[in-house]
Amino acid sequence: MDPQTFMEVATVVTKLKMYPYFDIAHYLLMCISVRDDMPQAQPNQQPFWRKHPLSTWISSMLICFAGSLIANLLLGEPIITPFKDHRSILTFTIVWYLVYYSPFDLVYKVTKFLPVKIVISMLKECQRAHKVYHGVYHTAKIYPNSLLVIVIIGTVKGSGGGLMKNFERLIRGLWIPGTNEILQPSYTTKASFVAATVFLLERLNYITVPHAVIYFGVVIFFVYFKLSSILLGINDPFSPFENLFCALFMGGMWDAMRRAVSKEPKKEEENDIRNDVIKSKEEKKKD
């Protein structure tokens, strides 16, 4: 692709409107993630969403609007603001109903079909880049000198669903405090953090590339690794770098050296114990 065409495509991607197609893709994947997290129904029993439709609707809505809810809470803005757009609420409700209650479970099964899942995931990742950028842009206007706050809000905007997971489960009567994004950050949270940092560096003029190219690069980054996760099973491309960092700076290298040094004394102790056992057996034979 020649530079002129690439620039034109990047500009078009930058100006994409999220409603309705990208928002619908987001609602679909979020509602499906909530449904997949529910316990499987036993034979001759109704599934959870049939017995508790209100709980299912609220928990799905919290996940779908999680980024805006958490960001508004942190910024001191009205938490209920994401719900003021009746068009978004109506669209979400229609998607939620089709995911859980469509005839023959058709929408859920079609969405799980690999080609359809790839297309929806690509749309969702485009929306994620849009959310991260606007989170950074909005926060920079409120706290222009607070770099940490800008990155945090950008990250929250892109990965709010994971951060909201524990509270959403609580709405469904499930409490698992041992699994959350602070203890075990997901790839989505890490990728959103990287994207927010890139947008911040652009705003600080450390990256002098045109905005359309940077934005399009972030979109490609999100889409590429999402497709890698779906098609190749690469769930966290950051793991090798994290392991290397922990080995060098978080004590992993010193722990390995200590284990290597302490192996010989352990072997000597094992040999002494083995010799004592052999001697005791020989003494018993003599007796």
Side-chain angles (χ1 to χ4, degrees), residues 32 35-36 98-99 102 105-112:
I32 288 173
R35 174 169 169 169
D36 290 341
L98 293 176
V99 168
S102 61
D105 215 8
L106 185 61
V107 172
Y108 179 79
K109 293 177 181 177
V110 169
T111 309
K112 287 289 187 177

Side-chain angles (χ1 to χ4, degrees), residues 235-252:
N235 294 321
D236 191 352
F238 295 102
S239 292
F241 304 100
E242 291 176 356
N243 295 334
L244 179 61
F245 179 83
C246 291
L248 294 177
F249 302 106
M250 297 296 177

Side-chain angles (χ1 to χ4, degrees), residues 30-244:
M30 292 299 97
C31 289
I32 288 173
S33 70
V34 173
R35 174 169 169 169
D36 290 341
D37 191 54
M38 294 178 182
Q40 297 296 323
Q42 299 297 325
N44 300 323
Q45 288 186 356
Q46 286 186 334
F48 180 88
W49 54 89
R50 295 288 179 85
K51 295 186 291 185
H52 307 284
L54 178 60
S55 173
T56 304
W57 182 76
I58 293 176
S59 60
S60 298
M61 184 170 60
L62 288 177
I63 288 294
C64 288
F65 297 94
S68 298
L69 291 172
I70 300 175
N72 287 2
L73 176 65
L74 295 176
L75 293 174
E77 298 179 353
I79 303 177
I80 204 169
T81 300
F83 303 139
K84 71 178 182 180
D85 186 359
H86 66 278
R87 185 179 61 176
S88 297
I89 298 298
L90 180 60
T91 304
F92 153 74
T93 303
I94 294 173
V95 172
W96 163 81
Y97 181 83
L98 293 176
V99 168
Y100 287 94
Y101 305 106
S102 61
F104 307 106
D105 215 8
L106 185 61
V107 172
Y108 179 79
K109 293 177 181 177
V110 169
T111 309
K112 287 289 187 177
F113 185 53
L114 183 59
V116 177
K117 183 178 181 180
I118 289 175
V119 173
I120 295 175
S121 299
M122 292 174 64
L123 296 176
K124 161 64 181 172
E125 296 308 312
C126 292
Q127 195 214 41
R128 192 188 308 280
H130 178 270
K131 285 185 173 182
V132 173
Y133 171 71
H134 281 275
V136 170
Y137 179 78
H138 177 69
T139 310
K141 292 192 298 183
I142 303 174
Y143 300 103
N145 298 320
S146 183
L147 306 184
L148 179 61
V149 174
I150 294 173
V151 173
I152 288 176
I153 299 302
T155 304
V156 166
K157 280 281 192 175
S159 61
L163 298 169
M164 183 67 77
K165 179 63 70 174
N166 276 27
F167 186 70
E168 173 268 323
R169 285 174 172 169
L170 186 61
I171 297 296
R172 296 187 279 112
L174 186 63
W175 176 242
I176 310 177
T179 57
N180 59 68
E181 286 295 306
I182 305 300
L183 289 174
Q184 300 170 341
S186 63
Y187 156 74
T188 301
T189 301
K190 300 171 190 175
S192 298
F193 175 81
V194 171
T197 304
V198 170
F199 287 133
L200 175 61
L201 293 176
E202 178 203 3
R203 190 171 183 84
L204 297 175
N205 295 322
Y206 287 107
I207 301 178
T208 57
V209 180
H211 168 68
V213 175
I214 296 175
Y215 186 92
F216 190 44
V218 172
V219 171
I220 293 174
F221 168 76
F222 279 129
V223 171
Y224 174 78
F225 283 109
K226 185 62 177 180
L227 294 180
S228 299
S229 174
I230 296 173
L231 300 176
L232 304 177
I234 303 174
N235 294 321
D236 191 352
F238 295 102
S239 292
F241 304 100
E242 291 176 356
N243 295 334
L244 179 61

